[in-house]
Amino acid sequence: MKIRRASAAVAAVAAGALLFSACSSPAADDEPQTEDTAAESMETEQISDPCKVDTGTTETAEGEVKYSVGEDEFLGYNTLTPETYSTYNSAVTERIQGLFWYFGVDGTICHDENFGTYEAISEDPLQVRYTIADDAVWSDGTPITYADFLLDWATQAITADGAVTEDASEEALFNSISGLTLGDYVPDGPQADAADAKTFQYDYERVYADWEILVSTPLPAHVVAEQIGITTEELVTAIQEVDMDVLEDAVEFWNTGWLSETPGELPDPALVPSSGPYMFKEDGWVAGQSITLTANENYWGPPAATQDVTFRFAAADTHVQALQNGDLDVIEPQATVDTVDQLEQLGSQVTVTTGQTLTWEHLDFNFNNGIFSESLDAREAFAYCVPRQKIVDDLIKPIDDTAVVMNAREVFPFQTEKYDEIVAESYDGRYDEVDLETAKEKFAAAGLEEGTEVRIGYSAPNPRRADEIASIKASCDQVGFDIVDTGSPEFFDKDLPNGDYEVALFAWAGSGQKASGQNIYATGQPQNYGGYSDEVVDEAWETLASTADEAVHVEQTKVIEKQLWDTLFGIPLFAHPGVGAYSSDLENVRDTAAQSGIVWNAEQWARAS
């Protein structure tokens, strides 16, 4: 292995047992289970077990289960680019792409030992050894190996200048949503004996708070190699030696070769092999309608319970009716008062689930251009007129009477003790209530003129967000703003990345991560769409991300939250209440608070026999 960059200063971190405290999937009961008893016990097990439980499935049943994550069209097999990275797209790709871990229903990090195992074999320095299952193969029969994970590392480590990252601030060679974070922490890359090795090791230069989930879902290295006319072994060598003549070709395919630019046209099956329980079904994509996955016959783990899973591209306001009609079997509609009432009226034909989620609504300013980019006074004028409490009272409390205005970004109100501690030291309540007089003073101080247009963009159609903007307009137009609803089906594809908005209204879907916010709020990070930059925030994220010490995480989160409020990165609104519903003849459907949504265990969904 020839990869090496000049050694950066190594942070001395006494990680101790913190590195080994992450949760894994609980061991199965000692009492053997038959197929019948496993199925009967799932309802009891799922109450206490956040991870997937054994449902007793031994073979795939004929049939189809239909689900919709929303109206957004499928974007591509590679969901790790900024253009494709969304819960809409990953709802599909996570069914066909395997990994060592996944998030359980409460954000617990669960281990998928069907895919392989991993363990931290050293604390200081941090060293993690991964072992891919011997029988783990892509659906085309090619073994899943070290080469796949080396490619994954390269996409998050090699700079546009043909070097391994020095501090993750350089321009990346690959168009990865994760930027250069992995290379910054593991500059030598994964180590293994051969390209086809099943075991490899990560040697961290410094501790990373989310080390357990830093390794992402691999894409097939052998496909990239074939597409650029070399062998997998030659691709491995090119990555190890940072051979730009080869890597530039690899980059071109990785960035664009898996994007689906023409809706309805699936790539050649040879380009998109599966490493999960499902795979693309031949001719299974109907543009504007749906995409269907079918069971992967070469999957080595528990078989998919139902042959086909179809993802329909249906607007959120159609889901309840579609469930009633049988056009959908499982829905996760936006939690509105009307939605809950409609579901209750369907009676016993559907099962309804409710719960708290790790997804939260927010308004983000555009710092790249426009009236808010350079003026704190302008941002404050807007913040003082946004009726956050009214939005929660009118739209959220009728669904979840425990709902409150959210005053943090990295912790949630239902995480009561930590949330209260962090908010108490980071936010003084100044924007809790509408203050039109102060808003007008700030409006004048910013030099804004009556009728100043503020475009609020979001992914439309979305009735609740339309209602949120209507409430904001009713309040903020009194200050002098002209609030304009610019919701569009192309918001995430065009408006957000192109900066065609003054304020963006959307939600971040959280999980059990500790340092994921660095990708959103730190300077130059891939998900920092608005172009926000602040040295205090950047430094705090570096400190937080470089330790496994929970006490440090809490203290740095206080610093981050306070600075985001003081500089007004944006305005948090509320944590989403969760509502799911499914046909009562389905078994093994489980809701989750994590970003993967109710579809997280779709391979276990089965019709009642």
Side-chain angles (χ1 to χ4, degrees):
M1 187 73 165
K2 298 183 179 180
I3 293 170
R4 189 59 184 142
R5 64 164 167 79
S7 178
V10 179
V13 179
L18 290 167
L19 293 175
F20 302 94
S21 64
C23 297
S24 62
S25 181
D29 293 339
D30 292 334
E31 181 66 23
Q33 291 184 317
T34 66
E35 182 174 341
D36 288 340
T37 58
E40 290 170 359
S41 66
M42 183 170 182
E43 291 302 315
T44 300
E45 286 187 87
Q46 70 178 13
I47 295 173
S48 59
D49 188 344
C51 302
K52 296 174 185 177
V53 300
D54 181 8
T55 63
T57 300
T58 57
E59 61 181 29
T60 300
E62 292 298 321
E64 176 190 29
V65 180
K66 302 176 291 293
Y67 167 79
S68 177
V69 73
E71 70 277 11
D72 293 63
E73 188 76 66
F74 181 66
L75 298 174
Y77 174 79
N78 180 0
T79 194
L80 299 175
T81 73
E83 294 78 12
T84 59
Y85 184 76
S86 74
T87 53
Y88 306 106
N89 214 54
S90 61
V92 176
T93 59
E94 286 177 1
R95 316 281 74 78
I96 63 176
Q97 296 169 353
L99 187 55
F100 291 100
W101 61 269
Y102 60 92
F103 287 116
V105 297
D106 60 356
T108 293
I109 299 170
C110 302
H111 293 190
D112 184 356
E113 296 191 359
N114 296 303
F115 191 90
T117 60
Y118 63 98
E119 62 175 333
I121 59 174
S122 170
E123 297 182 20
D124 189 9
L126 174 58
Q127 296 176 314
V128 185
R129 181 173 296 159
Y130 294 83
T131 302
I132 306 165
D134 288 339
D135 50 359
V137 296
W138 295 97
S139 55
D140 60 11
T142 303
I144 301 171
T145 67
Y146 159 74
D148 301 311
F149 285 91
L150 179 65
L151 174 62
D152 174 63
W153 172 86
T155 66
Q156 304 173 64
I158 298 178
T159 73
D161 294 332
V164 176
T165 181
E166 292 281 350
D167 61 9
S169 67
E170 308 97 326
E171 181 183 354
L173 181 62
F174 290 80
N175 186 32
S176 172
I177 190 69
S178 298
L180 299 172
T181 299
L182 181 55
D184 189 33
Y185 284 92
V186 191
D188 288 342
Q191 306 292 309
D193 295 333
D196 61 356
K198 285 285 189 176
T199 297
F200 60 92
Q201 183 170 310
Y202 271 14
D203 295 336
Y204 283 74
E205 186 168 83
R206 52 198 170 97
V207 171
Y208 182 61
D210 285 317
W211 66 271
E212 193 168 5
I213 58 175
L214 192 57
V215 175
S216 57
T217 302
L219 295 171
H222 69 284
V223 170
V224 176
E226 289 167 1
Q227 290 303 302
I228 63 176
I230 62 176
T231 66
T232 303
E233 290 76 13
E234 288 170 334
L235 177 60
V236 166
T237 299
I239 295 172
Q240 292 173 338
E241 297 182 351
V242 194
D243 182 345
M244 292 295 284
D245 289 337
V246 173
L247 289 181
E248 286 177 356
D249 291 337
V251 167
E252 177 66 21
F253 180 78
W254 194 93
N255 286 353
T256 64
W258 282 312
L259 298 180
S260 297
E261 297 182 355
T262 304
E265 292 186 12
L266 283 171
D268 184 329
L271 299 182
V272 289
S274 168
S275 58
Y278 282 100
M279 59 190 294
F280 291 117
K281 185 173 185 177
E282 185 176 358
D283 299 323
W285 187 5
V286 180
Q289 298 295 319
S290 64
I291 188 168
T292 298
L293 308 181
T294 194
N296 174 11
E297 294 182 357
N298 281 337
Y299 184 61
W300 61 97
T306 303
Q307 183 67 42
D308 293 343
V309 173
T310 294
F311 295 80
R312 294 195 181 279
F313 311 132
D317 58 0
T318 69
H319 287 187
V320 175
Q321 186 65 51
L323 179 64
Q324 182 178 12
N325 296 344
D327 295 327
L328 290 174
D329 298 301
V330 183
I331 66 172
E332 200 169 11
Q334 191 169 79
T336 67
V337 178
D338 290 342
T339 298
V340 173
D341 288 343
Q342 291 167 14
L343 288 172
E344 290 176 349
Q345 291 172 16
L346 297 183
S348 61
Q349 75 178 87
V350 303
T351 301
V352 180
T353 66
T354 59
Q356 298 172 321
T357 76
L358 291 163
T359 298
W360 61 284
E361 194 92 342
H362 53 91
L363 296 155
D364 289 354
F365 292 110
N366 185 346
F367 287 83
N368 290 313
N369 58 71
I371 62 169
F372 296 124
S373 60
E374 299 292 338
S375 174
L376 177 60
D377 283 329
R379 298 195 296 275
E380 289 178 330
F382 182 78
Y384 276 116
C385 67
V386 171
R388 294 196 301 152
Q389 188 65 58
K390 177 177 174 55
I391 289 171
V392 171
D393 289 344
D394 291 352
L395 304 177
I396 309 303
K397 272 186 174 293
I399 306 161
D400 176 9
D401 60 9
T402 67
V404 297
V405 170
M406 189 162 167
N407 286 323
R409 302 153 185 85
E410 293 300 301
V411 288
F412 288 76
F414 55 82
Q415 298 168 329
T416 307
E417 185 174 348
K418 182 187 292 186
Y419 177 84
D420 289 345
E421 177 184 352
I422 288 173
V423 171
E425 297 190 34
S426 61
Y427 173 62
D428 60 8
R430 70 187 78 172
Y431 307 116
D432 281 359
E433 300 291 343
V434 169
D435 185 342
L436 293 181
E437 290 305 313
T438 301
K440 290 176 182 178
E441 292 172 5
K442 294 292 184 179
F443 187 91
L448 299 177
E449 297 180 358
E450 183 75 23
T452 295
E453 186 175 273
V454 174
R455 297 168 298 166
I456 303 182
Y458 63 99
S459 181
N462 188 307
R464 187 169 71 195
R465 289 193 176 130
D467 288 343
E468 291 174 46
I469 293 175
S471 291
I472 294 170
K473 182 174 180 61
S475 179
C476 290
D477 278 13
Q478 299 180 63
V479 175
F481 293 112
D482 177 16
I483 304 299
V484 181
D485 180 331
T486 56
S488 166
E490 298 181 320
F491 174 71
F492 286 115
D493 296 336
K494 294 183 179 180
D495 298 351
L496 184 63
N498 293 337
D500 293 334
Y501 64 94
E502 276 73 57
V503 177
L505 172 61
F506 63 106
W508 285 120
S511 287
Q513 301 177 60
K514 302 175 181 68
S516 60
Q518 187 173 26
N519 210 28
I520 299 170
Y521 306 110
T523 303
Q525 292 300 304
Q527 290 179 284
N528 186 348
Y529 299 115
Y532 174 83
S533 179
D534 184 89
E535 291 182 358
V536 173
V537 171
D538 290 349
E539 183 178 349
W541 273 120
E542 282 297 317
T543 302
L544 185 154
S546 298
T547 179
D549 189 332
E550 178 64 22
V552 175
H553 296 166
V554 170
E555 291 308 309
Q556 294 306 310
T557 299
K558 294 174 184 176
V559 173
I560 292 165
E561 294 283 5
K562 185 176 189 305
Q563 193 69 3
L564 291 175
W565 272 120
D566 289 349
T567 59
L568 267 183
F569 170 93
I571 307 168
L573 295 174
F574 54 83
H576 283 205
V579 175
Y582 57 92
S583 300
S584 293
D585 65 343
L586 276 182
E587 296 178 333
N588 307 333
V589 180
R590 297 177 61 192
D591 208 350
T592 177
Q595 63 186 6
S596 47
I598 201 170
V599 75
W600 75 289
N601 73 327
E603 72 276 11
Q604 296 184 321
W605 294 352
R607 298 287 179 190
S609 55

